[in-house]
């Protein structure tokens, strides 16, 4: 997923942001199964903020992105509104380990 492309906690577009949000939610829940509603409740505000989205139907955009992740084989559709992260839980990298040089001063010394 996006973490391997060097954009681990923040997506620059809807596809990346949703991909990251799914992993973040799965990690928070401690399971690779999640619902669309959980993603909306826990992650949609973050996705909208990260992408700078100004659209009037972010939940519909989220649904489209979930379909795309399903089509790419990254998540599986289990039942109406229920999904499973196919690759299972993959720990997200520590924010400080991927932080740009300008933000390193906010990370503890190693």
């Amino acid at each position: 997923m996006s973490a391997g492309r060097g954009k681990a906690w923040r997506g620059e577009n809807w596809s990346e942001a949703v991909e990251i949000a799914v992993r973040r939610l799965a990690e928070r829940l401690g399971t690779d199964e999640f619902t669309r509603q959980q993603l909306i409740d826990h992650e949609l505000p973050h996705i909208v903020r990260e992408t700078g989205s100004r659209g009037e139907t972010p939940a519909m955009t989220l649904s489209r992105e979930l379909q795309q992740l399903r089509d790419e084989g990254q998540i599986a559709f289990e039942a109406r509104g229920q999904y499973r992260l196919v690759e299972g839980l993959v720990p997200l990298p520590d924010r400080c380990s991927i932080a740009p040089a300008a933000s390193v001063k906010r990370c503890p010394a190693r």
Side-chain angles (χ1 to χ4, degrees), residues 1 12-13 16 21 38 49 62 71:
M1 293 189 136
E12 293 182 354
N13 60 49
E16 289 181 351
Q38 287 172 317
R49 185 173 52 251
L62 176 66
D71 293 348

Side-chain angles (χ1 to χ4, degrees), residues 11-72:
E12 293 182 354
N13 60 49
W14 266 89
S15 294
E16 289 181 351
V18 171
E19 193 175 338
I20 293 164
V22 165
R23 293 180 62 211
R24 198 167 41 214
L25 178 64
E27 186 175 83
R28 181 182 306 120
L29 296 175
T31 180
D32 58 355
E33 296 179 359
F34 64 95
T35 67
R36 177 182 176 273
Q37 192 61 50
Q38 287 172 317
L39 197 58
I40 289 170
D41 293 345
H42 296 283
E43 294 291 338
L44 190 56
H46 300 291
I47 294 167
V48 169
R49 185 173 52 251
E50 289 173 3
T51 60
S53 181
R54 304 222 189 290
E56 293 186 23
T57 57
M60 291 179 71
T61 303
L62 176 66
S63 293
R64 187 186 73 237
E65 293 296 334
L66 287 172
Q67 290 171 358
Q68 186 173 334
L69 288 175
R70 180 204 59 210
D71 293 348
E72 292 171 359

Side-chain angles (χ1 to χ4, degrees), residues 94-99 104 107-110:
D94 175 6
R95 291 178 186 190
C96 292
S97 69
I98 54 94
V104 171
C107 296
R110 296 181 187 199

